[in-house]
Amino acid sequence: QVQLVESGGGLVQAGGSLRLSCAASGRTFSRYRMGWFRQAPGKEREFVGSISSGGAYINYADSVKGRFTISRDNAKNTVYLQMNSLKSDDTAVYVCAAADSSISSYKYWGQGTQVTVSS
């Protein structure tokens, strides 16, 4: 069992930056592939990006590529989402998730943190 807690959300002006954190419980964090998702009001949940267990493989949705950066610190059981050049379209609840392997679906989900970008 893994528990995930996001933090770092808030209100930011367009063009600004935020860094989200997702802290995981347990001693096996380094085994999990981690993902970030977001959901805006009235829209379906959207994949933002993911990072492999060791951090070597990272991919992003086209909508955030070049602006967002995912990283992880396995010693701190934490994954990060650095968001730069924020746009109003980035306003959403951001949620992190953990998957058991590189091919399995995401099994554990956090509660999310709100990001609001004002134009």
Side-chain angles (χ1 to χ4, degrees):
Q1 187 78 8
V2 176
Q3 292 186 327
L4 304 172
V5 179
E6 301 91 341
S7 62
L11 175 63
V12 63
Q13 288 189 333
S17 298
L18 279 176
R19 188 177 82 154
L20 306 184
S21 299
C22 172
S25 65
R27 295 175 291 178
T28 58
F29 174 75
S30 61
R31 292 172 43 194
Y32 293 97
R33 171 168 57 92
M34 300 298 297
W36 283 99
F37 295 79
R38 66 186 182 185
Q39 188 164 18
K43 294 187 178 180
E44 293 188 354
R45 185 170 60 200
E46 175 189 16
F47 171 78
V48 174
S50 67
I51 185 168
S52 61
S53 58
Y57 301 100
I58 304 173
N59 64 306
Y60 300 96
D62 287 344
S63 58
V64 306
K65 201 171 293 184
R67 300 187 299 121
F68 289 11
T69 302
I70 296 175
S71 61
R72 66 190 295 163
D73 185 338
N74 285 343
K76 295 183 178 180
N77 282 13
T78 302
V79 62
Y80 304 97
L81 180 65
Q82 176 68 43
M83 305 185 295
N84 299 328
S85 302
L86 283 162
K87 308 173 183 179
S88 57
D89 287 348
D90 295 320
T91 295
V93 174
Y94 284 73
V95 181
C96 67
D100 286 333
S101 73
S102 61
I103 59 173
S104 63
S105 58
Y106 290 96
K107 185 175 182 180
Y108 305 103
W109 295 83
Q111 293 298 310
T113 184
Q114 176 71 47
V115 172
T116 302
V117 183
S118 63
S119 57

